[in-house]
Amino acid sequence: MVDSIFIGQGVGPMAITGLALTFPLMNLAAAFGSLVGVGAATLISVKLGQKDYTTAQCVLGNVLVLNIILGLAFTLVVYPLLTPILYFFGGSEATMSYATDYMEIILLGNIITHLYFGLNAVLRASGHPQQAMYATIFTVVVNALLDPLFIYVFEWGIRGAAIATVTAQLLSMLWQIYFFSNPNRLLHFHRGVFKLKRRIVVDSLAIGLSPFLMNTAACFIVILINQGLKRYGGDLAIGAYGIVNRLVFITIM
């Protein structure tokens, strides 16, 4: 939402359309993030309720490793195919440069995004909902401060908005890692918790499958709508739909 505002005012309407083209891809990345984050957070809540603190610790470590693996895999698969994917999503010659400029930065920081969302879910599940909320608010505020700096002052255009997003998430992620590195916390990183355990991985992915499928379905719906809009309404129609989609997203949240 923040990126949309500053990109629309500082770069132009075609940039808004380029940003809208990235929405299904970002939604798909979020789907993989929720596959791990939601499932692991639920599993941690269950294990803490059972007072099985050893397994809960291992789930925390596995969240970190799984998010790195999935985030890296997503980037390695999508990055080389980015241009044809965005064309399939409704891109045109007028909007592709904006979409690729934005999405390339987002993909390079995809591991950061996965870790940020995954650790935030664990924060909420482990009895620290306020800290999770502070991390989210901090990310939005930093993003809103960096967007005008990178777009207007440094003149980085739509790339500046993407860099601002990844930077804000990076700062929050570093604080989350610092939070879970405190040995005085009930759940904290320590040697032995990072080894993937088959049972934890399977249970986490099984629980997270529902939000993953919901996000994936939403992704395909947007792709179909964008393709129709490109054929019958043009680039600006896709941009307008992208703006409305963000407003709808607030309602859904």
Side-chain angles (χ1 to χ4, degrees):
M1 193 77 178
V2 170
D3 283 352
S4 297
I5 293 169
F6 287 106
I7 288 171
Q9 300 298 321
V11 186
M14 284 303 174
I16 282 287
T17 300
L19 184 65
L21 293 175
T22 69
F23 192 78
L25 204 51
M26 294 181 71
N27 217 13
L28 191 59
F32 280 99
S34 64
L35 181 64
V36 177
V38 173
T42 305
L43 195 58
I44 281 178
S45 294
V46 171
K47 295 305 176 183
L48 289 177
Q50 295 172 342
K51 300 191 185 306
D52 185 358
Y53 302 127
T54 302
T55 304
Q57 294 270 28
C58 290
V59 175
L60 172 63
N62 279 209
V63 165
L64 192 76
V65 176
L66 272 176
N67 274 311
I68 291 173
I69 292 172
L70 283 179
L72 182 61
F74 188 86
T75 299
L76 291 176
V77 170
V78 173
Y79 196 90
L81 304 171
L82 183 58
T83 298
I85 287 173
L86 291 174
Y87 270 119
F88 177 70
F89 286 179
S92 69
E93 295 297 329
T95 59
M96 277 298 297
S97 61
Y98 295 112
T100 52
D101 282 351
Y102 186 83
M103 204 62 214
E104 281 176 354
I105 302 296
I106 296 297
L107 283 174
L108 290 174
N110 192 48
I111 292 177
I112 294 170
T113 304
H114 277 226
L115 287 173
Y116 160 66
F117 282 117
L119 291 176
N120 223 39
V122 173
L123 264 177
R124 287 193 300 272
S126 59
H128 303 287
Q130 284 187 325
Q131 282 77 3
M133 180 182 68
Y134 295 152
T136 303
I137 293 172
F138 173 79
T139 304
V140 175
V141 170
V142 171
N143 196 357
L145 293 174
L146 292 180
D147 265 342
L149 178 66
F150 291 168
I151 294 173
Y152 304 143
V153 180
F154 293 170
E155 297 182 350
W156 289 347
I158 197 168
R159 280 183 176 270
I163 293 170
T165 298
V166 174
T167 302
Q169 292 175 349
L170 173 63
L171 293 175
S172 276
M173 183 203 73
L174 291 175
W175 175 81
Q176 291 165 340
I177 291 175
Y178 170 77
F179 183 91
F180 283 119
S181 296
N182 187 344
N184 295 320
R185 307 276 180 198
L186 180 61
L187 292 184
H188 62 272
F189 296 125
H190 60 83
R191 185 178 298 178
V193 301
F194 302 108
K195 183 180 179 181
L196 291 178
K197 296 185 181 295
R198 183 178 178 277
R199 187 65 184 174
I200 291 175
V201 172
V202 170
D203 287 350
S204 296
L205 297 182
I207 296 170
L209 192 60
S210 175
F212 170 78
L213 292 175
M214 288 175 63
N215 277 324
T216 304
C219 168
F220 283 113
I221 290 170
V222 173
I223 292 170
L224 292 174
I225 292 173
N226 279 353
Q227 288 179 339
L229 289 172
K230 180 183 179 182
R231 185 177 300 117
Y232 299 109
D235 292 326
L236 292 179
I238 294 176
Y241 176 65
I243 293 171
V244 172
N245 223 4
R246 279 155 177 75
L247 294 174
V248 171
F249 195 66
I250 292 177
T251 307
I252 292 171
M253 289 174 67

